[in-house]
Structure formats: structure tokens, C-alpha cells
Amino acid sequence: MSPAILPKGPPPSLHVLKEIAKAREEEFHSLVGRRHFAGAIISAALAVEAILKARICRHLDVPTLPDFMFIHDLRRLWTVAGLDGEVRKKTAFGERLDSLRCYIEDPQRGDVRYRNPAQVTEDEVRRLSDWAFRSDLGAVPFIRNAIP
């Protein structure tokens, strides 16, 4: 990645990435409450991305996010975060994470982040909320709890 497209300033730390994930989750719930479903989906995807990047910092034992991780590919992020085995073993969390990625990056409907906002339904957002934030199997709480 060329330095011209990297964010300005120092790369975010594990702590900052965890705070970003929490803020994006709060934003998700606020947007759902106001029925702004397309915006809520973006916030959920960013929350998952931020917590995966925090896990990468812990997994690689680095204080800040490496430059090569300024990406949005959830599959690559969970692989570098050391969570690929969960998906391959089809653990409950792995299946949830894969369902979340397939929903967000659906090759048949198109990436949900780039769909017409008028086509995003409340049912889709509720399902996404379950995959991303449910306290027992949601991707964000599971990964957050795995980061001391």
C-alpha cells in the first residue's frame, strides 16, 4: 500500500481499535433505532473490522496496527488475526464469523456496504446484529473477550 493512501498520523493502537469497535457498535444501535438501516450496516462492518484489527495487534504482539493491515477484506483480517482455525473447524463462533462475512461481502447480491440504501431491510439488519453483536456468539464480543 502506498503511503499516500494510509491514514495521516500514527497507526491506531490495540486500545484505540477496541474503542473504535465499541463506538461503531453504539452507532449501529443508534442508527437502527432511527431506522437508518444502510448506515447501520456500515457501522456494524466497521465495528467487526476494528475488533479484528485489535486482535491482529495482540496476535502479532505489536503495539499498533501494521501498515499492511489497512484493508477491508474480512477474510484476510480474520486469517491474520489467527481466527482461520475457528472457521475451518466450524466452531459456533467460526460459523457465525463466516456467516457475517458472507452477508457483508455477498458475491451474488453484491457487497451490502455498496447496495442501494433503500433496499436494506430491517430483517437484514436484525440478522446482522445477531451475527455481529449477540453477547454469546456475536463476532465482536467473542473477539473482544479474547483480547486481554
mmCIF file of all heavy atoms in Angstrom, residues 74-120:
data_model
loop_
_atom_site.group_PDB
_atom_site.id
_atom_site.type_symbol
_atom_site.label_atom_id
_atom_site.label_comp_id
_atom_site.label_asym_id
_atom_site.label_seq_id
_atom_site.Cartn_x
_atom_site.Cartn_y
_atom_site.Cartn_z
ATOM 1 N N LEU A 74 -12.511 -8.876 5.176
ATOM 2 C CA LEU A 74 -12.736 -9.561 6.453
ATOM 3 C C LEU A 74 -12.061 -10.924 6.507
ATOM 4 O O LEU A 74 -11.540 -11.315 7.550
ATOM 5 C CB LEU A 74 -14.236 -9.690 6.719
ATOM 6 C CG LEU A 74 -14.993 -8.383 6.900
ATOM 7 C CD1 LEU A 74 -16.478 -8.647 7.109
ATOM 8 C CD2 LEU A 74 -14.429 -7.570 8.045
ATOM 9 N N ARG A 75 -12.064 -11.652 5.394
ATOM 10 C CA ARG A 75 -11.419 -12.975 5.406
ATOM 11 C C ARG A 75 -9.916 -12.844 5.680
ATOM 12 O O ARG A 75 -9.352 -13.576 6.484
ATOM 13 C CB ARG A 75 -11.648 -13.699 4.087
ATOM 14 C CG ARG A 75 -11.036 -15.099 4.097
ATOM 15 C CD ARG A 75 -11.395 -15.851 2.877
ATOM 16 N NE ARG A 75 -12.843 -16.010 2.890
ATOM 17 C CZ ARG A 75 -13.497 -16.916 2.200
ATOM 18 N NH1 ARG A 75 -12.840 -17.746 1.437
ATOM 19 N NH2 ARG A 75 -14.797 -17.010 2.249
ATOM 20 N N ARG A 76 -9.271 -11.918 5.024
ATOM 21 C CA ARG A 76 -7.829 -11.706 5.259
ATOM 22 C C ARG A 76 -7.588 -11.234 6.692
ATOM 23 O O ARG A 76 -6.650 -11.675 7.344
ATOM 24 C CB ARG A 76 -7.293 -10.692 4.259
ATOM 25 C CG ARG A 76 -5.832 -10.367 4.465
ATOM 26 C CD ARG A 76 -5.068 -10.365 3.171
ATOM 27 N NE ARG A 76 -3.774 -9.736 3.301
ATOM 28 C CZ ARG A 76 -2.717 -10.318 3.845
ATOM 29 N NH1 ARG A 76 -2.800 -11.537 4.317
ATOM 30 N NH2 ARG A 76 -1.553 -9.694 3.907
ATOM 31 N N LEU A 77 -8.441 -10.353 7.186
ATOM 32 C CA LEU A 77 -8.275 -9.858 8.552
ATOM 33 C C LEU A 77 -8.404 -10.993 9.565
ATOM 34 O O LEU A 77 -7.586 -11.103 10.480
ATOM 35 C CB LEU A 77 -9.292 -8.749 8.855
ATOM 36 C CG LEU A 77 -9.051 -7.420 8.147
ATOM 37 C CD1 LEU A 77 -10.244 -6.494 8.347
ATOM 38 C CD2 LEU A 77 -7.769 -6.756 8.635
ATOM 39 N N TRP A 78 -9.410 -11.866 9.416
ATOM 40 C CA TRP A 78 -9.533 -12.920 10.428
ATOM 41 C C TRP A 78 -8.422 -13.949 10.301
ATOM 42 O O TRP A 78 -8.035 -14.566 11.280
ATOM 43 C CB TRP A 78 -10.920 -13.524 10.480
ATOM 44 C CG TRP A 78 -11.270 -14.650 9.544
ATOM 45 C CD1 TRP A 78 -10.552 -15.777 9.277
ATOM 46 C CD2 TRP A 78 -12.466 -14.761 8.789
ATOM 47 N NE1 TRP A 78 -11.218 -16.570 8.387
ATOM 48 C CE2 TRP A 78 -12.396 -15.979 8.084
ATOM 49 C CE3 TRP A 78 -13.589 -13.979 8.644
ATOM 50 C CZ2 TRP A 78 -13.414 -16.409 7.236
ATOM 51 C CZ3 TRP A 78 -14.593 -14.410 7.814
ATOM 52 C CH2 TRP A 78 -14.501 -15.608 7.121
ATOM 53 N N THR A 79 -7.878 -14.104 9.084
ATOM 54 C CA THR A 79 -6.746 -15.025 8.923
ATOM 55 C C THR A 79 -5.522 -14.483 9.652
ATOM 56 O O THR A 79 -4.887 -15.199 10.432
ATOM 57 C CB THR A 79 -6.432 -15.238 7.431
ATOM 58 O OG1 THR A 79 -7.575 -15.830 6.810
ATOM 59 C CG2 THR A 79 -5.226 -16.132 7.229
ATOM 60 N N VAL A 80 -5.198 -13.213 9.439
ATOM 61 C CA VAL A 80 -4.037 -12.607 10.105
ATOM 62 C C VAL A 80 -4.271 -12.526 11.611
ATOM 63 O O VAL A 80 -3.331 -12.627 12.393
ATOM 64 C CB VAL A 80 -3.718 -11.216 9.506
ATOM 65 C CG1 VAL A 80 -2.571 -10.554 10.244
ATOM 66 C CG2 VAL A 80 -3.377 -11.346 8.020
ATOM 67 N N ALA A 81 -5.523 -12.418 12.034
ATOM 68 C CA ALA A 81 -5.851 -12.362 13.464
ATOM 69 C C ALA A 81 -5.742 -13.723 14.133
ATOM 70 O O ALA A 81 -5.892 -13.832 15.343
ATOM 71 C CB ALA A 81 -7.259 -11.796 13.650
ATOM 72 N N GLY A 82 -5.485 -14.775 13.338
ATOM 73 C CA GLY A 82 -5.338 -16.110 13.907
ATOM 74 C C GLY A 82 -6.656 -16.813 14.159
ATOM 75 O O GLY A 82 -6.723 -17.744 14.955
ATOM 76 N N LEU A 83 -7.723 -16.400 13.481
ATOM 77 C CA LEU A 83 -9.043 -16.982 13.700
ATOM 78 C C LEU A 83 -9.474 -17.926 12.581
ATOM 79 O O LEU A 83 -10.592 -18.429 12.593
ATOM 80 C CB LEU A 83 -10.081 -15.869 13.862
ATOM 81 C CG LEU A 83 -9.854 -14.959 15.067
ATOM 82 C CD1 LEU A 83 -10.791 -13.768 15.009
ATOM 83 C CD2 LEU A 83 -10.025 -15.733 16.358
ATOM 84 N N ASP A 84 -8.607 -18.180 11.621
ATOM 85 C CA ASP A 84 -8.940 -19.046 10.498
ATOM 86 C C ASP A 84 -9.340 -20.450 10.958
ATOM 87 O O ASP A 84 -10.224 -21.070 10.403
ATOM 88 C CB ASP A 84 -7.751 -19.120 9.537
ATOM 89 C CG ASP A 84 -8.174 -19.160 8.088
ATOM 90 O OD1 ASP A 84 -9.295 -18.716 7.785
ATOM 91 O OD2 ASP A 84 -7.382 -19.635 7.269
ATOM 92 N N GLY A 85 -8.668 -20.952 11.989
ATOM 93 C CA GLY A 85 -8.962 -22.290 12.506
ATOM 94 C C GLY A 85 -10.388 -22.410 13.012
ATOM 95 O O GLY A 85 -11.034 -23.446 12.855
ATOM 96 N N GLU A 86 -10.899 -21.343 13.624
ATOM 97 C CA GLU A 86 -12.284 -21.344 14.117
ATOM 98 C C GLU A 86 -13.258 -21.557 12.957
ATOM 99 O O GLU A 86 -14.250 -22.262 13.101
ATOM 100 C CB GLU A 86 -12.601 -20.019 14.814
ATOM 101 C CG GLU A 86 -11.801 -19.750 16.051
ATOM 102 C CD GLU A 86 -12.263 -20.571 17.241
ATOM 103 O OE1 GLU A 86 -13.427 -21.009 17.263
ATOM 104 O OE2 GLU A 86 -11.444 -20.774 18.143
ATOM 105 N N VAL A 87 -12.975 -20.924 11.837
ATOM 106 C CA VAL A 87 -13.851 -21.042 10.674
ATOM 107 C C VAL A 87 -13.709 -22.432 10.060
ATOM 108 O O VAL A 87 -14.693 -23.095 9.755
ATOM 109 C CB VAL A 87 -13.553 -19.932 9.643
ATOM 110 C CG1 VAL A 87 -14.414 -20.098 8.404
ATOM 111 C CG2 VAL A 87 -13.772 -18.555 10.272
ATOM 112 N N ARG A 88 -12.453 -22.876 9.900
ATOM 113 C CA ARG A 88 -12.226 -24.196 9.285
ATOM 114 C C ARG A 88 -12.808 -25.322 10.126
ATOM 115 O O ARG A 88 -13.352 -26.283 9.600
ATOM 116 C CB ARG A 88 -10.732 -24.437 9.068
ATOM 117 C CG ARG A 88 -10.251 -23.920 7.726
ATOM 118 C CD ARG A 88 -8.828 -24.330 7.410
ATOM 119 N NE ARG A 88 -7.911 -23.329 7.944
ATOM 120 C CZ ARG A 88 -7.112 -23.498 8.995
ATOM 121 N NH1 ARG A 88 -7.071 -24.639 9.615
ATOM 122 N NH2 ARG A 88 -6.334 -22.542 9.418
ATOM 123 N N LYS A 89 -12.720 -25.221 11.458
ATOM 124 C CA LYS A 89 -13.251 -26.265 12.345
ATOM 125 C C LYS A 89 -14.767 -26.177 12.490
ATOM 126 O O LYS A 89 -15.371 -27.045 13.103
ATOM 127 C CB LYS A 89 -12.621 -26.160 13.736
ATOM 128 C CG LYS A 89 -11.158 -26.559 13.774
ATOM 129 C CD LYS A 89 -10.624 -26.602 15.189
ATOM 130 C CE LYS A 89 -10.511 -25.210 15.759
ATOM 131 N NZ LYS A 89 -9.858 -25.118 17.054
ATOM 132 N N LYS A 90 -15.342 -25.108 11.943
ATOM 133 C CA LYS A 90 -16.783 -24.881 12.011
ATOM 134 C C LYS A 90 -17.274 -24.831 13.458
ATOM 135 O O LYS A 90 -18.315 -25.384 13.800
ATOM 136 C CB LYS A 90 -17.554 -25.912 11.197
ATOM 137 C CG LYS A 90 -17.225 -25.860 9.716
ATOM 138 C CD LYS A 90 -18.363 -26.393 8.898
ATOM 139 C CE LYS A 90 -18.074 -26.359 7.434
ATOM 140 N NZ LYS A 90 -18.021 -25.065 6.846
ATOM 141 N N THR A 91 -16.501 -24.177 14.316
ATOM 142 C CA THR A 91 -16.989 -23.928 15.677
ATOM 143 C C THR A 91 -18.184 -22.989 15.572
ATOM 144 O O THR A 91 -18.407 -22.363 14.537
ATOM 145 C CB THR A 91 -15.900 -23.274 16.543
ATOM 146 O OG1 THR A 91 -15.589 -21.981 15.997
ATOM 147 C CG2 THR A 91 -14.633 -24.123 16.610
ATOM 148 N N ALA A 92 -18.933 -22.871 16.639
ATOM 149 C CA ALA A 92 -20.103 -21.971 16.619
ATOM 150 C C ALA A 92 -19.662 -20.553 16.269
ATOM 151 O O ALA A 92 -20.294 -19.881 15.452
ATOM 152 C CB ALA A 92 -20.804 -22.004 17.969
ATOM 153 N N PHE A 93 -18.550 -20.108 16.864
ATOM 154 C CA PHE A 93 -18.061 -18.766 16.545
ATOM 155 C C PHE A 93 -17.596 -18.697 15.100
ATOM 156 O O PHE A 93 -17.884 -17.744 14.393
ATOM 157 C CB PHE A 93 -16.919 -18.353 17.468
ATOM 158 C CG PHE A 93 -16.191 -17.144 16.956
ATOM 159 C CD1 PHE A 93 -16.794 -15.896 16.987
ATOM 160 C CD2 PHE A 93 -14.928 -17.260 16.394
ATOM 161 C CE1 PHE A 93 -16.142 -14.776 16.479
ATOM 162 C CE2 PHE A 93 -14.272 -16.150 15.896
ATOM 163 C CZ PHE A 93 -14.877 -14.914 15.937
ATOM 164 N N GLY A 94 -16.868 -19.707 14.635
ATOM 165 C CA GLY A 94 -16.369 -19.714 13.263
ATOM 166 C C GLY A 94 -17.494 -19.641 12.249
ATOM 167 O O GLY A 94 -17.414 -18.918 11.256
ATOM 168 N N GLU A 95 -18.565 -20.388 12.502
ATOM 169 C CA GLU A 95 -19.711 -20.341 11.597
ATOM 170 C C GLU A 95 -20.370 -18.974 11.624
ATOM 171 O O GLU A 95 -20.795 -18.447 10.598
ATOM 172 C CB GLU A 95 -20.703 -21.441 11.937
ATOM 173 C CG GLU A 95 -20.183 -22.815 11.545
ATOM 174 C CD GLU A 95 -21.186 -23.921 11.755
ATOM 175 O OE1 GLU A 95 -22.293 -23.665 12.270
ATOM 176 O OE2 GLU A 95 -20.860 -25.061 11.400
ATOM 177 N N ARG A 96 -20.438 -18.378 12.789
ATOM 178 C CA ARG A 96 -21.031 -17.043 12.916
ATOM 179 C C ARG A 96 -20.187 -16.024 12.155
ATOM 180 O O ARG A 96 -20.701 -15.186 11.438
ATOM 181 C CB ARG A 96 -21.111 -16.709 14.410
ATOM 182 C CG ARG A 96 -21.733 -15.429 14.794
ATOM 183 C CD ARG A 96 -23.226 -15.355 14.526
ATOM 184 N NE ARG A 96 -23.980 -16.453 15.028
ATOM 185 C CZ ARG A 96 -24.962 -16.382 15.885
ATOM 186 N NH1 ARG A 96 -25.308 -15.233 16.376
ATOM 187 N NH2 ARG A 96 -25.638 -17.438 16.238
ATOM 188 N N LEU A 97 -18.867 -16.102 12.315
ATOM 189 C CA LEU A 97 -17.971 -15.170 11.628
ATOM 190 C C LEU A 97 -18.065 -15.335 10.113
ATOM 191 O O LEU A 97 -18.139 -14.361 9.378
ATOM 192 C CB LEU A 97 -16.536 -15.375 12.109
ATOM 193 C CG LEU A 97 -15.481 -14.404 11.612
ATOM 194 C CD1 LEU A 97 -15.824 -12.971 12.017
ATOM 195 C CD2 LEU A 97 -14.112 -14.781 12.160
ATOM 196 N N ASP A 98 -18.122 -16.579 9.650
ATOM 197 C CA ASP A 98 -18.223 -16.820 8.213
ATOM 198 C C ASP A 98 -19.573 -16.336 7.673
ATOM 199 O O ASP A 98 -19.642 -15.749 6.599
ATOM 200 C CB ASP A 98 -18.016 -18.298 7.899
ATOM 201 C CG ASP A 98 -17.746 -18.532 6.422
ATOM 202 O OD1 ASP A 98 -16.991 -17.741 5.807
ATOM 203 O OD2 ASP A 98 -18.299 -19.505 5.873
ATOM 204 N N SER A 99 -20.643 -16.538 8.427
ATOM 205 C CA SER A 99 -21.962 -16.041 8.004
ATOM 206 C C SER A 99 -21.957 -14.532 7.906
ATOM 207 O O SER A 99 -22.507 -13.950 6.964
ATOM 208 C CB SER A 99 -23.045 -16.476 8.997
ATOM 209 O OG SER A 99 -23.213 -17.861 8.965
ATOM 210 N N LEU A 100 -21.326 -13.892 8.861
ATOM 211 C CA LEU A 100 -21.236 -12.434 8.865
ATOM 212 C C LEU A 100 -20.478 -11.946 7.630
ATOM 213 O O LEU A 100 -20.924 -11.054 6.919
ATOM 214 C CB LEU A 100 -20.540 -11.968 10.140
ATOM 215 C CG LEU A 100 -20.320 -10.480 10.312
ATOM 216 C CD1 LEU A 100 -21.639 -9.741 10.385
ATOM 217 C CD2 LEU A 100 -19.511 -10.223 11.572
ATOM 218 N N ARG A 101 -19.330 -12.555 7.356
ATOM 219 C CA ARG A 101 -18.547 -12.165 6.182
ATOM 220 C C ARG A 101 -19.335 -12.417 4.900
ATOM 221 O O ARG A 101 -19.385 -11.561 4.019
ATOM 222 C CB ARG A 101 -17.221 -12.913 6.125
ATOM 223 C CG ARG A 101 -16.354 -12.431 4.944
ATOM 224 C CD ARG A 101 -15.347 -13.457 4.490
ATOM 225 N NE ARG A 101 -15.924 -14.737 4.166
ATOM 226 C CZ ARG A 101 -16.489 -15.059 2.993
ATOM 227 N NH1 ARG A 101 -16.593 -14.180 2.034
ATOM 228 N NH2 ARG A 101 -16.959 -16.262 2.783
ATOM 229 N N CYS A 102 -19.978 -13.573 4.800
ATOM 230 C CA CYS A 102 -20.746 -13.886 3.593
ATOM 231 C C CYS A 102 -21.890 -12.901 3.399
ATOM 232 O O CYS A 102 -22.206 -12.530 2.268
ATOM 233 C CB CYS A 102 -21.299 -15.307 3.660
ATOM 234 S SG CYS A 102 -20.041 -16.568 3.441
ATOM 235 N N TYR A 103 -22.499 -12.474 4.490
ATOM 236 C CA TYR A 103 -23.580 -11.497 4.365
ATOM 237 C C TYR A 103 -23.039 -10.161 3.885
ATOM 238 O O TYR A 103 -23.576 -9.559 2.962
ATOM 239 C CB TYR A 103 -24.307 -11.317 5.703
ATOM 240 C CG TYR A 103 -25.285 -10.183 5.632
ATOM 241 C CD1 TYR A 103 -26.464 -10.318 4.913
ATOM 242 C CD2 TYR A 103 -25.001 -8.963 6.221
ATOM 243 C CE1 TYR A 103 -27.355 -9.262 4.792
ATOM 244 C CE2 TYR A 103 -25.887 -7.903 6.117
ATOM 245 C CZ TYR A 103 -27.062 -8.056 5.402
ATOM 246 O OH TYR A 103 -27.918 -7.012 5.279
ATOM 247 N N ILE A 104 -21.974 -9.683 4.502
ATOM 248 C CA ILE A 104 -21.436 -8.371 4.153
ATOM 249 C C ILE A 104 -20.848 -8.377 2.748
ATOM 250 O O ILE A 104 -21.066 -7.461 1.968
ATOM 251 C CB ILE A 104 -20.391 -7.917 5.193
ATOM 252 C CG1 ILE A 104 -21.086 -7.631 6.529
ATOM 253 C CG2 ILE A 104 -19.630 -6.678 4.719
ATOM 254 C CD1 ILE A 104 -20.152 -7.374 7.682
ATOM 255 N N GLU A 105 -20.112 -9.432 2.403
ATOM 256 C CA GLU A 105 -19.408 -9.481 1.123
ATOM 257 C C GLU A 105 -20.080 -10.441 0.141
ATOM 258 O O GLU A 105 -19.407 -11.079 -0.647
ATOM 259 C CB GLU A 105 -17.951 -9.888 1.371
ATOM 260 C CG GLU A 105 -17.205 -8.905 2.259
ATOM 261 C CD GLU A 105 -15.807 -9.364 2.643
ATOM 262 O OE1 GLU A 105 -15.459 -10.539 2.410
ATOM 263 O OE2 GLU A 105 -15.078 -8.532 3.187
ATOM 264 N N ASP A 106 -21.396 -10.555 0.163
ATOM 265 C CA ASP A 106 -22.158 -11.490 -0.659
ATOM 266 C C ASP A 106 -21.857 -11.304 -2.143
ATOM 267 O O ASP A 106 -22.157 -10.261 -2.717
ATOM 268 C CB ASP A 106 -23.646 -11.296 -0.408
ATOM 269 C CG ASP A 106 -24.507 -12.350 -1.095
ATOM 270 O OD1 ASP A 106 -24.128 -12.834 -2.183
ATOM 271 O OD2 ASP A 106 -25.555 -12.682 -0.545
ATOM 272 N N PRO A 107 -21.278 -12.335 -2.798
ATOM 273 C CA PRO A 107 -20.923 -12.190 -4.218
ATOM 274 C C PRO A 107 -22.143 -12.178 -5.148
ATOM 275 O O PRO A 107 -22.080 -11.642 -6.244
ATOM 276 C CB PRO A 107 -20.040 -13.407 -4.488
ATOM 277 C CG PRO A 107 -20.392 -14.393 -3.439
ATOM 278 C CD PRO A 107 -20.869 -13.612 -2.251
ATOM 279 N N GLN A 108 -23.267 -12.747 -4.718
ATOM 280 C CA GLN A 108 -24.441 -12.796 -5.598
ATOM 281 C C GLN A 108 -25.275 -11.518 -5.517
ATOM 282 O O GLN A 108 -25.713 -10.993 -6.529
ATOM 283 C CB GLN A 108 -25.292 -14.015 -5.272
ATOM 284 C CG GLN A 108 -24.565 -15.292 -5.632
ATOM 285 C CD GLN A 108 -25.400 -16.510 -5.362
ATOM 286 O OE1 GLN A 108 -26.363 -16.474 -4.631
ATOM 287 N NE2 GLN A 108 -25.011 -17.616 -5.975
ATOM 288 N N ARG A 109 -25.517 -11.024 -4.321
ATOM 289 C CA ARG A 109 -26.297 -9.787 -4.171
ATOM 290 C C ARG A 109 -25.413 -8.566 -4.299
ATOM 291 O O ARG A 109 -25.883 -7.461 -4.467
ATOM 292 C CB ARG A 109 -26.938 -9.724 -2.778
ATOM 293 C CG ARG A 109 -28.132 -10.559 -2.586
ATOM 294 C CD ARG A 109 -28.750 -10.232 -1.260
ATOM 295 N NE ARG A 109 -27.758 -9.776 -0.310
ATOM 296 C CZ ARG A 109 -27.756 -10.041 0.978
ATOM 297 N NH1 ARG A 109 -28.711 -10.742 1.497
ATOM 298 N NH2 ARG A 109 -26.806 -9.593 1.772
ATOM 299 N N GLY A 110 -24.125 -8.757 -4.139
ATOM 300 C CA GLY A 110 -23.201 -7.635 -4.101
ATOM 301 C C GLY A 110 -22.893 -7.287 -2.657
ATOM 302 O O GLY A 110 -23.668 -7.584 -1.756
ATOM 303 N N ASP A 111 -21.784 -6.688 -2.451
ATOM 304 C CA ASP A 111 -21.358 -6.290 -1.120
ATOM 305 C C ASP A 111 -22.416 -5.369 -0.531
ATOM 306 O O ASP A 111 -22.767 -4.344 -1.115
ATOM 307 C CB ASP A 111 -20.009 -5.573 -1.229
ATOM 308 C CG ASP A 111 -19.358 -5.316 0.107
ATOM 309 O OD1 ASP A 111 -20.065 -4.859 1.029
ATOM 310 O OD2 ASP A 111 -18.149 -5.549 0.229
ATOM 311 N N VAL A 112 -22.954 -5.740 0.604
ATOM 312 C CA VAL A 112 -24.055 -4.995 1.203
ATOM 313 C C VAL A 112 -23.669 -3.554 1.523
ATOM 314 O O VAL A 112 -24.518 -2.671 1.555
ATOM 315 C CB VAL A 112 -24.595 -5.735 2.453
ATOM 316 C CG1 VAL A 112 -23.656 -5.601 3.625
ATOM 317 C CG2 VAL A 112 -25.979 -5.253 2.799
ATOM 318 N N ARG A 113 -22.394 -3.309 1.716
ATOM 319 C CA ARG A 113 -21.945 -1.948 2.008
ATOM 320 C C ARG A 113 -22.144 -1.021 0.806
ATOM 321 O O ARG A 113 -22.128 0.194 0.959
ATOM 322 C CB ARG A 113 -20.474 -1.960 2.429
ATOM 323 C CG ARG A 113 -20.241 -2.707 3.742
ATOM 324 C CD ARG A 113 -18.788 -2.915 4.024
ATOM 325 N NE ARG A 113 -18.233 -3.906 3.102
ATOM 326 C CZ ARG A 113 -17.049 -4.489 3.267
ATOM 327 N NH1 ARG A 113 -16.302 -4.176 4.293
ATOM 328 N NH2 ARG A 113 -16.614 -5.367 2.402
ATOM 329 N N TYR A 114 -22.321 -1.595 -0.381
ATOM 330 C CA TYR A 114 -22.446 -0.788 -1.595
ATOM 331 C C TYR A 114 -23.803 -0.941 -2.266
ATOM 332 O O TYR A 114 -23.981 -0.536 -3.398
ATOM 333 C CB TYR A 114 -21.316 -1.140 -2.571
ATOM 334 C CG TYR A 114 -19.966 -0.978 -1.922
ATOM 335 C CD1 TYR A 114 -19.213 -2.081 -1.571
ATOM 336 C CD2 TYR A 114 -19.473 0.291 -1.613
ATOM 337 C CE1 TYR A 114 -17.980 -1.929 -0.943
ATOM 338 C CE2 TYR A 114 -18.251 0.439 -0.986
ATOM 339 C CZ TYR A 114 -17.516 -0.662 -0.657
ATOM 340 O OH TYR A 114 -16.312 -0.517 -0.027
ATOM 341 N N ARG A 115 -24.768 -1.518 -1.581
ATOM 342 C CA ARG A 115 -26.113 -1.654 -2.148
ATOM 343 C C ARG A 115 -26.899 -0.361 -1.986
ATOM 344 O O ARG A 115 -26.583 0.471 -1.137
ATOM 345 C CB ARG A 115 -26.858 -2.794 -1.457
ATOM 346 C CG ARG A 115 -26.386 -4.136 -1.959
ATOM 347 C CD ARG A 115 -27.161 -5.341 -1.518
ATOM 348 N NE ARG A 115 -28.495 -5.139 -1.027
ATOM 349 C CZ ARG A 115 -28.940 -5.691 0.102
ATOM 350 N NH1 ARG A 115 -28.160 -6.448 0.834
ATOM 351 N NH2 ARG A 115 -30.176 -5.486 0.496
ATOM 352 N N ASN A 116 -27.943 -0.243 -2.753
ATOM 353 C CA ASN A 116 -28.850 0.892 -2.643
ATOM 354 C C ASN A 116 -29.433 0.907 -1.226
ATOM 355 O O ASN A 116 -30.041 -0.078 -0.797
ATOM 356 C CB ASN A 116 -29.966 0.739 -3.675
ATOM 357 C CG ASN A 116 -30.963 1.862 -3.635
ATOM 358 O OD1 ASN A 116 -31.101 2.571 -2.647
ATOM 359 N ND2 ASN A 116 -31.686 2.003 -4.731
ATOM 360 N N PRO A 117 -29.272 1.985 -0.477
ATOM 361 C CA PRO A 117 -29.775 2.025 0.901
ATOM 362 C C PRO A 117 -31.264 1.705 1.026
ATOM 363 O O PRO A 117 -31.687 1.135 2.026
ATOM 364 C CB PRO A 117 -29.482 3.456 1.341
ATOM 365 C CG PRO A 117 -28.354 3.896 0.498
ATOM 366 C CD PRO A 117 -28.554 3.213 -0.833
ATOM 367 N N ALA A 118 -32.041 2.029 0.026
ATOM 368 C CA ALA A 118 -33.484 1.766 0.079
ATOM 369 C C ALA A 118 -33.794 0.272 0.046
ATOM 370 O O ALA A 118 -34.899 -0.140 0.395
ATOM 371 C CB ALA A 118 -34.184 2.470 -1.078
ATOM 372 N N GLN A 119 -32.827 -0.545 -0.367
ATOM 373 C CA GLN A 119 -33.049 -1.987 -0.468
ATOM 374 C C GLN A 119 -32.655 -2.751 0.788
ATOM 375 O O GLN A 119 -32.855 -3.951 0.876
ATOM 376 C CB GLN A 119 -32.277 -2.554 -1.655
ATOM 377 C CG GLN A 119 -32.759 -2.027 -2.988
ATOM 378 C CD GLN A 119 -31.880 -2.502 -4.125
ATOM 379 O OE1 GLN A 119 -30.748 -2.913 -3.940
ATOM 380 N NE2 GLN A 119 -32.423 -2.439 -5.330
ATOM 381 N N VAL A 120 -32.097 -2.081 1.773
ATOM 382 C CA VAL A 120 -31.674 -2.741 3.011
ATOM 383 C C VAL A 120 -32.881 -2.832 3.939
ATOM 384 O O VAL A 120 -33.513 -1.826 4.261
ATOM 385 C CB VAL A 120 -30.521 -1.971 3.685
ATOM 386 C CG1 VAL A 120 -30.123 -2.642 4.984
ATOM 387 C CG2 VAL A 120 -29.330 -1.870 2.740
#
